[in-house]
Amino acid sequence: MLQKDSDIAIVGGGAWGLSTALHLTRAGFSRITIYERAEAIPSPYSAAYDLNKIVRAEYEDPFYTKLALEAIEGWKTPLFGPHYHQTGYVVAATGQAPPKAVEHLEKALSTIEQDPVFSPGIKRLNGAKDFKEYTWQYSGPLTGFKGYFNRLAGYAHSSNTLQAIWEHVSTIGVRTYLGEQAGRVVGLVYEQQKKRCVGVRTADGKVHSADVVICALGAHGASLIPELGRSVVARSWSVAHVQLSEREADFLRGIPTTNVRDLGFFFEPDPKTRLFKLCPLGIGYTNTGKNGISLPPSDVLPPPQDFIPKDDELKLRQLLRETFPWMADRPFVDQRLCWFADTRDSDYCVDYVPNTDNSLICLSGDSGHGFKMMPVFGKWVVQLLGEGRQTEQRWQWRASTGTDANWGNSVSWRIGEGAELSDLIEAKSKLLRARL
Ligand SMILES: Cc1cc2nc3c(=O)[nH]c(=O)nc-3n(C[C@H](O)[C@H](O)[C@H](O)COP(=O)(O)OP(=O)(O)OC[C@H]3O[C@@H](n4cnc5c(N)ncnc54)[C@H](O)[C@@H]3O)c2cc1C
């Protein structure tokens, strides 16, 4: 049985690892160590190494709606509050949207539309005039736009949140090993023919013992727990930015987070850098190795993916033409592919790895919707470590979810076609060669 002074190793100081450290300290655990491969937190390898992430509670599935509602309460506390911006959330589908996008919008809206907390802040929007009433700055045609505004949502500054929570847990006794040598875990240490995980080995060759090891590696999970690669796929989405002037950033201050389900989403500009972040909505891209497991190309930074695919660029330019046409032909800066851990049904994995005698916990499968849960996520890990050692049924470890790796297209909330990173790099090189 775990004691309050048992040694707990958390591998990965991203959104879920930090939340876990926070809730473990709140539950009275006193010997917690985080191992993080980056030189500082926020880590550039984290999916949350970013200006902002959407915080909203509408889901197709009321199970996550309930959890996200709790998380939003957490975002409004003094620790998380400075990083949460309740700008409201505009969700739309254009007149050209495929039925899948409209269906998803309607299903997600139905989980909050009748909720007494949300309903006063929800307004259905039909046509450009309705949308412009909520966001007077939209100057594009908003062709055929239909959707809604939800007041109780917005975004959080994700890099700043990671840094703040790391600083907070450090001041209350959580130790951190950082960097490619001292912080990068290259192997888990087992005893009794792999029965029990008894610690971690870092790249500097040191072995650190632990009573329980918690892996929170995001898209990199299968690098330490290879079996995970049979149910969780490292996948990436594109991120791009437009550099705005001070005047332009002031003009867009306070706009609602806007998600056009068949094109992409954007946020109010970051006040410090004046970067306006955009993400296209799509299936995303995998990097499948010969063993059939997809992992991010993590050994080089910046990785060979400091670009976004042409189709994504076209989607974003179309999004801007519909909303802010004055920005539509601006250069995109800081373009990159950002990696997350994806599951077939978008359910998380929060469980013990089987046959490890409850010594190894795997936190994975965020499926691109895990950041918003940061204020509450660690609570679920504390529950898992408690008496019953039970997780939600849907978050249990799964041995495999089938062999057809190409299930990305069937996820209800994503539109388009997926691709392999190698094909994208090849297409980019061809384009460059053609231009020479
Ligand atoms: C483009 C994009 C947009 C997204 N938008 C949203 C959104 O709007 N709302 C939302 O809720 N979620 C969003 N997400 C998902 C969200 O970012 C993730 O759910 C969240 O970051 C998952 O947290 P994590 O701790 O599991 O992984 P991460 O945050 O990725 O952290 C993993 C950590 O492990 C470290 N690590 C890796 N390997 C090692 C090793 N060997 N040794 C030590 N450390 C290691 C990494 O450096 C990193 O710090 C988005 C994701 C992407 C990619």
Side-chain angles (χ1 to χ4, degrees):
M1 179 69 187
L2 212 60
Q3 307 297 317
K4 289 290 157 80
D5 61 353
S6 297
D7 276 311
I8 303 179
I10 299 175
V11 189
W16 287 2
L18 290 167
S19 176
T20 299
L22 175 69
H23 283 274
L24 286 174
T25 55
R26 284 182 178 168
F29 290 94
S30 58
R31 293 168 67 90
I32 302 161
T33 308
I34 296 175
Y35 298 86
E36 169 53 59
R37 71 175 287 196
E39 299 297 328
I41 292 175
S43 156
Y45 299 101
S46 162
Y49 183 71
D50 212 346
L51 289 176
N52 35 42
K53 300 285 182 202
I54 302 172
V55 176
R56 45 90 195 177
E58 54 266 59
Y59 269 90
E60 278 182 323
D61 183 344
F63 171 79
Y64 286 102
T65 299
K66 189 167 162 278
L67 300 176
L69 272 172
E70 265 180 57
I72 289 177
E73 286 313 302
W75 280 109
K76 295 177 181 169
T77 56
L79 187 57
F80 285 93
H83 313 290
Y84 176 55
H85 306 283
Q86 198 169 289
T87 52
Y89 187 40
V90 165
V91 186
T94 70
Q96 302 291 313
K100 191 179 175 189
V102 181
E103 268 163 38
H104 170 76
L105 182 153
E106 287 296 335
K107 267 194 194 163
L109 174 60
S110 71
T111 64
I112 54 165
E113 203 174 16
Q114 305 304 329
D115 186 301
V117 179
F118 279 91
S119 49
I122 290 176
K123 173 89 171 75
R124 284 213 177 234
L125 307 173
N126 195 349
K129 189 168 163 290
D130 278 5
F131 280 86
K132 287 179 187 184
E133 250 170 51
Y134 276 85
T135 313
W136 55 267
Q137 293 95 329
Y138 295 147
S139 52
L142 307 168
T143 318
F145 272 42
K146 280 188 180 165
Y148 63 92
F149 173 79
N150 167 15
R151 190 173 64 80
L152 292 182
Y155 73 94
H157 194 303
S158 49
S159 283
N160 287 357
T161 312
L162 296 184
Q163 188 177 347
I165 302 307
W166 176 52
E167 285 170 3
H168 175 75
V169 296
S170 301
T171 59
I172 52 175
V174 172
R175 280 202 305 174
T176 316
Y177 285 94
L178 288 172
E180 283 298 324
Q181 288 301 310
R184 182 179 189 174
V185 172
V186 291
L188 302 175
V189 181
Y190 294 92
E191 67 172 23
Q192 296 170 13
Q193 288 105 40
K194 239 190 158 198
K195 267 264 155 64
R196 220 188 135 67
C197 182
V198 291
V200 301
R201 183 178 299 105
T202 42
D204 55 8
K206 292 198 176 129
V207 169
H208 306 263
S209 59
D211 298 300
V212 67
V213 175
I214 302 175
C215 281
L217 295 148
H220 308 259
S223 64
L224 292 183
I225 309 175
E227 313 89 280
L228 184 66
R230 293 200 288 264
S231 59
V232 175
V233 168
R235 201 183 291 282
S236 60
W237 283 323
S238 299
V239 178
H241 304 81
V242 176
Q243 180 65 66
L244 298 181
S245 68
E246 192 175 347
R247 216 168 134 252
E248 290 164 340
D250 284 347
F251 180 73
L252 295 183
R253 180 159 310 145
I255 57 164
T257 300
T258 299
N259 193 342
V260 181
R261 299 285 338 160
D262 47 320
L263 292 176
F265 56 95
F266 56 73
F267 303 78
E268 74 166 326
D270 176 47
K272 201 163 163 196
T273 59
R274 303 196 296 268
L275 285 171
F276 179 80
K277 179 184 135 181
L278 301 128
C279 289
L281 275 163
I283 307 294
Y285 312 105
T286 41
N287 184 42
T288 312
K290 288 201 179 79
N291 57 2
I293 289 179
S294 172
L295 274 170
S298 59
D299 283 335
V300 241
L301 197 72
Q305 72 234 29
D306 48 351
F307 69 99
I308 63 169
K310 195 71 198 161
D311 284 355
D312 282 347
E313 179 179 348
L314 292 175
K315 260 189 202 171
L316 293 182
R317 296 214 178 276
Q318 179 61 17
L319 175 64
L320 289 172
R321 258 189 285 283
E322 290 291 350
T323 51
F324 304 120
W326 53 271
M327 230 196 280
D329 296 315
R330 291 277 187 93
F332 286 155
V333 297
D334 193 10
Q335 304 180 35
R336 58 198 143 88
L337 295 180
C338 179
W339 295 83
F340 62 101
D342 204 20
T343 64
R344 183 185 282 264
D345 47 16
S346 300
D347 272 327
Y348 307 154
C349 170
V350 182
D351 203 1
Y352 293 97
V353 177
N355 307 318
T356 58
D357 193 19
N358 293 340
S359 60
L360 177 61
I361 288 180
C362 175
L363 309 179
S364 185
D366 69 274
S367 303
H369 65 100
F371 180 79
K372 70 177 67 63
M373 304 295 185
M374 198 171 164
V376 291
F377 184 90
K379 215 174 62 177
W380 309 329
V381 185
V382 173
Q383 278 159 13
L384 185 64
L385 285 167
E387 282 288 288
R389 303 197 169 201
Q390 281 295 317
T391 188
E392 291 287 341
Q393 201 190 354
R394 56 201 299 168
W395 293 345
Q396 282 171 4
W397 172 273
R398 281 172 287 180
S400 166
T401 45
T403 47
D404 61 318
N406 204 11
W407 45 258
N409 319 29
S410 60
V411 177
S412 67
W413 49 289
R414 302 185 195 153
I415 314 280
E417 288 294 322
E420 279 292 324
L421 178 64
S422 53
D423 296 334
L424 301 180
I425 292 174
E426 176 59 27
K428 184 189 163 211
S429 317
K430 265 196 195 149
L431 202 69
L432 285 175
R433 281 199 298 274
R435 279 191 196 145
L436 287 176

